[in-house]
Amino acid sequence: MGLFKKKDKFIGREELQECVQESVKKCMGECAGEMFREGERKLLEAVENRLQATEAMVENLNKQAKRQSEAVEDLLDELQEKETAAMEYRNSLREKQEREEALLDLIGEWQQQMGMLEERICGEAMEDTARQEAWKKQLGLLKEQLAVKEKLCSIEETGTEGEHVDYRIHEVIRALDAEGEGTAGTVAKVHSRGMVYEGRVIAKAKVEAYKL
């Protein structure tokens, strides 16, 4: 028995079920589509938010990298300046050492010339003995003055008659038999004075010494 009338005809139970099913399917399809579009929209929003956060993080990392790069460049510039200053200092120090060595050589030559002059004045007899004595006295005063200035420059002369032989500062060019008690191992004659600068032996004194 029909329940609804359509165009002067009654709709049967089967037709009604089909109609209801189609309506339900259509409604469910529309709801599913709406739910899918809503889920898709939310997914796209989440992806966009994630991309924005990633871009912000990348931008922040780029800024940090730029700051670190600038800091490294500044450090390299500072190291370069220090290296240049150190090189200039080394060059200056080397030039100073070369001048110091040349000055010490000059002083050594001067000492030898003074020794030769002293040996000639004191060793050779002059007709005018008064003049010879005056020269000896003048030479003694000059040596005393120079000794004070040498001490101020950390220079010490070595080689004196009567002192004990020390092979670190003496070069024995001739050995003599001891002449008396207590003379063994001492300097008998000085041919040229030696020099010690700041504890470093620059030149050994050439001496004759009594045998032990």
Side-chain angles (χ1 to χ4, degrees):
M1 182 177 182
L3 297 177
F4 297 96
K5 185 178 182 180
K6 182 178 179 182
K7 293 182 179 180
D8 299 330
K9 291 183 179 181
F10 291 101
I11 299 174
R13 184 180 299 277
E14 291 79 5
E15 293 179 353
L16 179 61
Q17 289 179 349
E18 291 177 359
C19 183
V20 171
Q21 289 176 355
E22 290 179 359
S23 298
V24 171
K25 288 180 180 180
K26 184 177 181 181
C27 182
M28 290 179 65
E30 291 177 352
C31 291
E34 184 66 24
M35 290 174 63
F36 176 78
R37 287 191 294 272
E38 181 67 19
E40 184 180 12
R41 183 182 64 78
K42 290 182 179 180
L43 178 62
L44 290 176
E45 288 181 356
V47 171
E48 185 176 359
N49 293 334
R50 185 64 176 176
L51 288 175
Q52 290 178 354
T54 303
E55 290 176 355
M57 181 177 64
V58 171
E59 184 178 0
N60 185 34
L61 291 175
N62 288 333
K63 289 180 179 179
Q64 293 181 3
K66 184 178 180 180
R67 287 195 296 268
Q68 292 177 353
S69 177
E70 292 175 350
V72 170
E73 290 179 358
D74 293 339
L75 179 60
L76 291 176
D77 292 339
E78 184 179 355
L79 291 176
Q80 182 64 33
E81 292 177 357
K82 290 184 177 180
E83 179 63 25
T84 302
M87 184 177 298
E88 292 177 352
Y89 174 75
R90 288 194 295 267
N91 293 334
S92 176
L93 183 60
R94 185 178 64 253
E95 293 175 356
K96 180 182 177 182
Q97 290 175 341
E98 291 175 354
R99 289 194 300 269
E100 186 178 81
E101 293 295 332
L103 181 60
L104 292 173
D105 290 340
L106 178 61
I107 294 174
E109 292 291 336
W110 171 83
Q111 284 183 347
Q112 291 183 5
Q113 296 296 329
M114 286 292 295
M116 293 172 60
L117 179 61
E118 182 181 6
E119 186 175 358
R120 182 172 182 180
I121 291 175
C122 299
E124 296 183 4
M126 297 177 62
E127 295 180 0
D128 191 346
T129 56
R131 185 178 181 183
Q132 186 178 19
E133 291 299 325
W135 273 104
K136 289 181 180 180
K137 184 177 181 180
Q138 187 67 26
L139 184 61
L141 292 174
L142 178 61
K143 290 176 64 177
E144 290 179 0
Q145 294 175 2
L146 291 175
V148 174
K149 293 181 180 179
E150 286 176 348
K151 188 172 293 185
L152 293 175
C153 296
S154 299
I155 295 175
E156 179 184 358
E157 288 190 11
T158 59
T160 304
E161 293 182 6
E163 66 183 1
H164 287 279
V165 174
D166 185 345
Y167 289 97
R168 293 174 299 178
I169 59 176
H170 295 138
E171 180 183 348
V172 179
I173 60 177
R174 186 183 177 188
L176 305 174
D177 293 329
E179 295 182 350
E181 187 178 354
T183 61
T186 62
V187 175
K189 184 179 180 180
V190 178
H191 288 272
S192 64
R193 302 289 298 277
M195 181 172 59
V196 176
Y197 175 66
E198 293 185 344
R200 179 165 57 99
V201 177
I202 304 301
K204 291 185 177 182
K206 292 181 172 58
V207 300
E208 294 181 11
Y210 294 112
K211 297 179 184 178
L212 288 174

